[in-house]
Amino acid sequence: MRLAARLAASGRTHGRLISILAAVAVFVTLSLAPARSGAAGDTWPARLGAGGIGVARVSGNGQPFDGIATVGALFGESSGKLSSHFCTASVVDSPHGDLAITAAHCVTGTSRQMVFVPGYANGTEPYGVWQVTRVYTDAAWQSAQDPDDDVAFLQLSGAPGGAPVEAVTGAEHVATDAAAAAGGLVRVIGYPDTADQPVSCVNWTKLFSPTQLEFDCGGYTDGTSGGPFLANVPASSGQGTVIGVIGGYEQGGDLPQVSYSVAFGAAVAALYLTAKAAS
C-alpha cells in the first residue's frame, strides 16, 4: 500500500488514497480553478532491437535521476501553493493533448485540488504546473474499488496561452494488450514521497495473476503509485508506451521491491476512449 504517509493527517482513509469525490458513470468532474528501498541486486546490460529501450541497465534497485518531461508528480494545491507530492502520473496521447494517466486509488476519496508537475526534480517545475480539472475512473472502480480497475485518466488545464500539456512535454502511447505485456522489458518511473527526485528502474514484468502484472525492483515506496510501466522506450526521447501503472493489487505493493499494475485490457481501453472523447 504505497500511501503517502504525510497526507494521513489530512483525512486519508486507507492505502495510498488521495483523490476526488466519487462520481457517476465513468468519470467524475471536479470544479477547479483554471490555469523505500529494497535489497541491492546485480545489474547487466539488456540490448533490444529498434524501438526498444536500447542499451539499458537491468537493476535490482531504482536509481534517482533528474526525470523526463512526460512523467511527473501529483501535488495538492491551496491558494496557489503546492503541498507535498503524493503520487505519480504521466502524459499520454489524446486528441486535445490534455490527458495524463495514474492509479485510481491516487484520486479517490477527497475533494482537494490537485496539480500535475511534469519533470519535477529538486524543487523545480521545468514544464509548468497543470491543474487537474477532471478525473475519469471506471464505473466498476467507483462501485467496488476493485484492484483490477485501479487506473485513472486525468484531464489537465491548458497553459495560460492555451497550449495543452502534450504540446509542451510530448506524450506516451497507451497499449491495452494485457497478454502481450507480461514478460516484457519495461522502465518504471515513480516519485517517492520522501524525495524530490524520481527513481527509475528497468526490468522484466511477469504475470502475477491473470489480471495483474508484477515488477520487481527496490526503491518504489510511498508516492510512486501511478508511476508508468514504459515499454519500447527509445534512448533518444525517453518516450515509450504505457502498459501499466503502479497500483492494483495491494494498491501497488506493500514492499518497496515488488510493485504491481493492472494488466491493461478491454476495461482500460474503454476508459481511455471515454476520456479522449470527453476531454
Side-chain angles (χ1 to χ4, degrees):
M1 57 176 183
R2 304 261 167 75
L3 66 159
R6 287 179 288 176
L7 294 178
S10 65
R12 295 274 301 272
T13 55
H14 70 280
R16 284 182 293 188
L17 281 168
I18 145 122
S19 61
I20 300 171
L21 295 172
V24 183
V26 184
F27 62 87
V28 54
T29 302
L30 300 181
S31 296
L32 301 178
R36 278 157 196 233
S37 64
D42 295 333
T43 64
W44 66 95
R47 295 180 182 272
L48 298 183
I53 293 176
V55 180
R57 300 298 296 180
V58 178
S59 176
N61 279 294
Q63 299 298 313
F65 76 116
D66 288 336
I68 63 173
T70 53
V71 181
L74 290 174
F75 290 78
E77 184 185 55
S78 178
S79 301
K81 295 183 178 180
L82 301 183
S83 61
S84 302
H85 58 87
F86 59 87
C87 271
T88 304
S90 51
V91 181
V92 293
D93 287 330
S94 65
H96 299 290
D98 60 354
L99 291 183
I101 191 171
T102 189
H105 76 261
C106 286
V107 290
T108 302
T110 176
S111 59
R112 72 183 295 167
Q113 187 167 288
M114 295 186 300
V115 297
F116 172 62
V117 183
Y120 177 78
N122 300 314
T124 65
E125 302 156 3
Y127 305 100
V129 176
W130 305 79
Q131 292 186 332
V132 178
T133 58
R134 181 175 290 179
V135 173
Y136 303 88
T137 57
D138 192 279
W141 171 265
Q142 296 165 25
S143 63
Q145 295 189 7
D146 190 315
D148 291 341
D149 300 299
D150 194 3
V151 177
F153 290 93
L154 311 177
Q155 184 178 349
L156 305 172
S157 62
V165 65
E166 186 175 336
V168 177
T169 64
E172 314 286 356
H173 301 298
V174 177
T176 54
D177 185 352
L185 189 64
V186 296
R187 181 186 188 190
V188 177
I189 298 172
Y191 281 81
D193 69 342
T194 56
D196 276 337
Q197 279 184 299
V199 295
S200 173
C201 186
V202 174
N203 209 341
W204 280 270
T205 62
K206 56 187 176 183
L207 202 61
F208 174 73
S209 74
T211 57
Q212 298 280 325
L213 300 176
E214 179 180 332
F215 175 83
D216 297 339
C217 188
Y220 289 82
T221 56
D222 299 354
T224 59
S225 279
F229 286 32
L230 295 172
N232 303 318
V233 183
S236 58
S237 69
Q239 296 175 18
T241 300
V242 182
I243 65 166
V245 294
I246 295 178
Y249 180 65
E250 294 177 341
Q251 293 191 349
D254 281 340
L255 301 174
Q257 62 267 35
V258 182
S259 299
Y260 302 98
S261 168
V262 175
F264 286 6
V268 174
L271 181 63
Y272 187 32
L273 284 174
T274 297
K276 288 192 291 185
S279 70

